[in-house]
Amino acid sequence: MPVLQRKKKQGNKISLVTLLTGLVSISVALTVTILLISSYQSKKQALINTTLTLNHTSAIKMSHTIDSLIKSMRSSLHYSANLFSNTMSAEEGYSKLELIRHTNNYFNSITVVDETGLVRYVSPASIGTAGKYITTETAKEALAVKKPYISKPYLTVNTKRLIVLISEPIFDKEGIYRGVIAGTIYLQENNILNTIFGSNPTDELDSSFYIVGSDGHLLFHRDTRRIGEDISENQAVRKLIQGKSGYEQMVNLRGETVLSAYVKVPENGWGVVVVSPISAVYEQLNRHLTSILLYMLPPFLLLMLVVIWLARRVAKPFVSLADLVSKAGREEVQLSEGKQHWNREAELLTRAISYALTDMKKQTDQLAHDARTDPLTGLTNRRTFEATMQQWVEEQASFSVILMDLDRFKSINDTYGHQSGDEVLKHFAQIVSASLRSGDVCCRFGGEEFVALVSHASAEEAYQVAERIRHTLEVSTNPIGQTITVSQGIAHYPSHTDSAEDLLHLADVALYDAKKTGRNRTEIAKG
C-alpha cells in the first residue's frame, strides 16, 4: 500500500521583520500616549493653579483699589462736611456742591440734608429734590445714624435709579449735629466704577470680574443689564457674605464650571470676584497637546520609516532598540554612551531615539522646574518652601524663619510702573540669595513678600543675616534710583514654637511689629 504522507500544517507565522516593526510601533505609540497623558495632566493642573493664582492676585489688586477709592470718597465727603457746617445761601451751597462734584468725579450726585430731613442743596440741580424732605428709608437711615454710612443698592423715588449712597455727618463748631452730606453712585450709568474698571482688557483665558455688595447684589458688571441682580446664591458670593476670601474651582449659577477668586473689600464689605471658565483652560491644553504632537510627529514618523527599512536588513540591533523604547515612559532610560553599532543604519536610529527622548525629558524637566520656582525671581515658590519647612520640622532640625516685606512697594508700582516694580523684586531676590548659605532656602512668598529658612541658626544669628539683607538693600544701587527698605520678622524653631504654621504666624506678627514701629526694621518674635 502506498504510504500516505501526512502534510504538516503550515500555520500563519509572523516574520521577524513584521514582529520587530510591530513591536517598535507599539512601543513608540505607548510612549507617545504615556507622555501625552502625563503632559496633559501636569499641564492641566499647572494651568488651573496658575489661573487661580492670577485671578486671586487680580482680585486682591481690585479690592485694594476699591478700598482706596472708598476711603478717598469718605475723605472727600468728610472734608466737604466741614464746609457745610454753617448755614449758607442756596446759590452758594449749590456752587460748592457743583465744584466738589466736578473736582473729584467720585459721585454722580451730591446732596446736603439738614437734621430735619430737608434737602438743602443738591448737585446736579436737575434732580429736583432741593427744598423737599427725604422720603426713602435708606436716606432716612443715613440721616439717623449720625456717622459715616454706606447703603446697599436701592431705587430712588424720583428718578427710579439704582444707586449706592455714601454719607458723612455734618457737625457745627459746637459739635451739634446738622445733617449729612451724601454722594451717590448711579450703578447702571457712567460712574467712578466704570471709569476705573470698565476698560480692563479680557485676557487669553477669557477671564471676567464683577463687584458685589455686602448683600450679594451686583454693583458692577460688564453687562450693565445685570447690575442690581441678586446673585447671593453664587458659591463665591456666599463665601464673601460669610467674610471669606480665597480661590477655588466651583460651579456658577448657570451650571458652568469656573475658576473663581473672591476677595472682600475691608472698608465697606463689598467683594470682588474674578472668574475664568474652565473651558478656556481646556482650550489651552488642546493647543498645548497639538503643539507637542506637531513637534513630535515628524521625528517619530521618520523614526518609524527608518525602523521599517532597517528591520528588512538587519534584525538584531532593533530588538534591543525596541526593548529600549518600550521602557520609555515607565522608567528613566539612557542610551549607552560611546557604544558603536557595526551597522550604520542602526547607529542613526539609536541617535534619532536619543534626540526624541532628550527632547521629551527637557519638556518634562521644564514643567517640573516651573512647578517648583517663581517665574519672576527664579527663587523657589511657596509650595517648595512649605515642603522644605515641613521636612525640617519633621526632622526636628533647628532653624529660623525670616519673613520679609518690601516697604511701600505699592507706591513703587504706582510711581514707576509694574515693570520697574518687577525689577525691584528681582533686585531684592538677588540680594537675599547672595546673603544666604547654600543650605538655606529663599522663597518669594507672594507679591512683595519673601521668606527665608536659615538652617541651624538661632533667632539672634538669623537676625544678623536679616540685618545684612536690610542694610544691603538700603545702600545698594537699585532699579528705581531711590532708597528701598524692607521690614522683617523672625521666628525660631523650636524655641518659639514646634508648629510650622505657628512659626510662620509668629514671624508674620514680628513683621507686623516692624511695620508698625516705623518700617525698615527687623523684629524677633516674642515668646
Side-chain angles (χ1 to χ4, degrees):
M1 292 180 62
V3 178
L4 296 176
Q5 297 286 336
R6 181 178 292 179
K7 294 183 179 180
K8 296 182 178 179
K9 293 182 179 180
Q10 299 294 325
N12 293 327
K13 303 295 183 182
I14 300 176
S15 67
L16 183 58
V17 172
T18 304
L19 180 62
L20 290 176
T21 303
L23 287 174
V24 173
S25 301
I26 293 173
S27 299
V28 170
L30 285 174
T31 301
V32 173
T33 303
I34 292 171
L35 287 173
L36 287 177
I37 291 174
S38 62
S39 176
Y40 179 87
Q41 293 298 333
S42 59
K43 185 70 174 179
K44 172 185 173 183
Q45 195 56 49
L47 276 175
I48 289 175
N49 290 340
T50 300
T51 302
L52 285 171
T53 302
L54 290 175
N55 286 353
H56 190 234
T57 301
S58 298
I60 289 174
K61 289 179 180 178
M62 284 188 278
S63 171
H64 289 167
T65 300
I66 297 172
D67 196 61
S68 299
L69 175 64
I70 297 300
K71 288 178 179 177
S72 298
M73 287 178 166
R74 283 181 160 171
S75 176
S76 174
L77 288 176
H78 181 73
Y79 172 77
S80 302
N82 294 329
L83 300 178
F84 292 92
S85 60
N86 296 319
T87 305
M88 61 185 71
S89 67
E91 182 179 352
E92 185 182 359
Y94 172 75
S95 298
K96 285 188 177 182
L97 282 187
E98 279 285 284
L99 178 63
I100 294 169
R101 186 169 66 89
H102 290 294
T103 298
N104 54 43
N105 290 321
Y106 288 151
F107 304 104
N108 295 91
S109 67
I110 306 177
T111 304
V112 174
V113 181
D114 68 16
E115 68 274 20
T116 67
L118 180 66
V119 177
R120 291 291 184 181
Y121 324 108
V122 62
S123 171
S126 58
I127 294 176
T129 57
K132 299 178 181 179
Y133 285 93
I134 57 176
T135 57
T136 63
E137 293 302 320
T138 301
K140 291 178 180 179
E141 183 179 356
L143 182 65
V145 295
K146 299 182 181 181
K147 61 182 180 180
Y149 175 82
I150 297 182
S151 75
K152 297 177 181 178
Y154 72 99
L155 280 174
T156 59
V157 175
N158 291 338
T159 62
K160 302 301 181 183
R161 287 187 173 104
L162 184 66
I163 71 170
V164 167
L165 179 143
I166 303 175
S167 68
E168 283 285 329
I170 301 174
F171 295 94
D172 62 17
K173 294 180 180 180
E174 286 73 32
I176 299 173
Y177 181 57
R178 295 302 183 187
V180 296
I181 179 170
T184 61
I185 301 172
Y186 298 169
L187 295 177
Q188 294 173 316
E189 301 176 30
N190 288 331
N191 56 53
I192 188 66
L193 297 179
N194 297 126
T195 303
I196 296 176
F197 300 110
S199 59
N200 282 18
T202 302
D203 60 21
E204 61 180 3
L205 287 174
D206 199 25
S207 299
S208 60
F209 66 93
Y210 51 87
I211 302 170
V212 295
S214 58
D215 59 348
H217 284 79
L218 278 172
L219 303 180
F220 175 84
H221 196 281
R222 287 185 184 274
D223 185 356
T224 55
R225 294 171 299 179
R226 296 192 61 190
I227 293 176
E229 179 183 335
D230 183 1
I231 59 170
S232 56
E233 291 303 313
N234 180 286
Q235 294 181 38
V237 176
R238 280 209 307 266
K239 291 182 180 292
L240 285 171
I241 293 173
Q242 295 167 5
K244 299 177 182 178
S245 296
Y247 53 91
E248 59 189 274
Q249 183 174 317
M250 54 181 57
V251 178
N252 64 17
L253 294 177
R254 298 177 182 177
E256 301 167 336
T257 301
V258 293
L259 303 175
S260 297
Y262 44 93
V263 176
K264 201 166 185 67
V265 180
E267 182 68 15
N268 60 358
W270 292 0
V272 179
V273 181
V274 180
V275 296
S276 300
I278 194 71
S279 57
V281 172
Y282 286 115
E283 287 176 7
Q284 278 209 348
L285 280 172
N286 291 334
R287 290 196 295 268
H288 172 70
L289 290 181
T290 302
S291 175
I292 291 177
L293 284 173
L294 289 176
Y295 280 110
M296 293 175 63
L297 191 58
F300 274 111
L301 286 177
L302 176 63
L303 173 64
M304 292 307 305
L305 290 175
V306 173
V307 168
I308 294 171
W309 180 66
L310 287 179
R312 297 178 182 275
R313 301 285 304 275
V314 287
K316 186 176 180 179
F318 298 102
V319 174
S320 60
L321 288 176
D323 180 63
L324 180 67
V325 175
S326 68
K327 293 179 181 178
R330 297 196 304 268
E331 59 185 72
E332 185 176 354
V333 295
Q334 292 182 346
L335 294 174
S336 301
E337 297 182 3
K339 182 179 180 180
Q340 300 291 326
H341 289 289
W342 64 270
N343 187 289
R344 181 175 178 273
E345 290 77 13
E347 180 68 23
L348 290 174
L349 181 58
T350 302
R351 291 181 181 177
I353 293 176
S354 175
Y355 295 151
L357 293 177
T358 300
D359 184 61
M360 295 176 207
K361 187 175 185 302
K362 285 181 179 179
Q363 292 186 35
T364 304
D365 291 345
Q366 184 62 44
L367 286 172
H369 178 267
D370 292 344
R372 294 192 303 267
T373 58
D374 171 55
L376 177 64
T377 62
L379 300 177
T380 59
N381 60 20
R382 183 167 182 167
R383 180 186 300 173
T384 305
F385 161 79
E386 290 176 347
T388 302
M389 184 170 68
Q390 190 61 42
Q391 179 184 347
W392 288 8
V393 169
E394 290 174 357
E395 294 173 354
Q396 296 186 346
S398 172
F399 66 94
S400 290
V401 173
I402 306 175
L403 195 58
M404 299 162 271
D405 188 90
L406 292 173
D407 295 329
R408 297 184 176 90
F409 183 74
K410 182 179 182 301
S411 66
I412 294 177
N413 277 337
D414 293 343
T415 305
Y416 301 97
H418 289 280
Q419 185 173 359
S420 296
D422 289 345
E423 293 301 319
V424 169
L425 292 176
K426 290 191 280 188
H427 172 69
F428 182 62
Q430 292 171 355
I431 290 175
V432 176
S433 297
S435 303
L436 299 176
R437 301 165 299 182
S438 59
D440 300 333
V441 176
C442 179
C443 155
R444 183 184 176 195
F445 211 52
E448 70 272 20
E449 197 170 45
F450 294 74
V451 64
L453 294 177
V454 187
S455 61
H456 305 292
S458 64
E460 290 72 21
E461 292 169 332
Y463 180 86
Q464 299 301 320
V465 175
E467 282 294 283
R468 184 164 62 248
I469 293 171
R470 185 186 65 78
H471 178 72
T472 302
L473 174 64
E474 187 177 14
V475 303
S476 65
T477 302
N478 58 65
I480 63 172
Q482 300 293 329
T483 300
I484 302 173
T485 61
V486 63
S487 299
Q488 303 172 110
I490 296 173
H492 176 257
Y493 175 88
S495 65
H496 286 140
T497 179
D498 58 0
S499 164
E501 182 178 354
D502 292 345
L503 192 68
L504 276 178
H505 175 71
L506 289 173
D508 189 53
V509 171
L511 172 61
Y512 175 77
D513 290 340
K515 290 280 189 181
K516 187 173 64 174
T517 53
R519 298 185 177 89
N520 193 21
R521 294 172 55 85
T522 302
E523 294 288 342
I524 297 176
K526 300 176 177 61

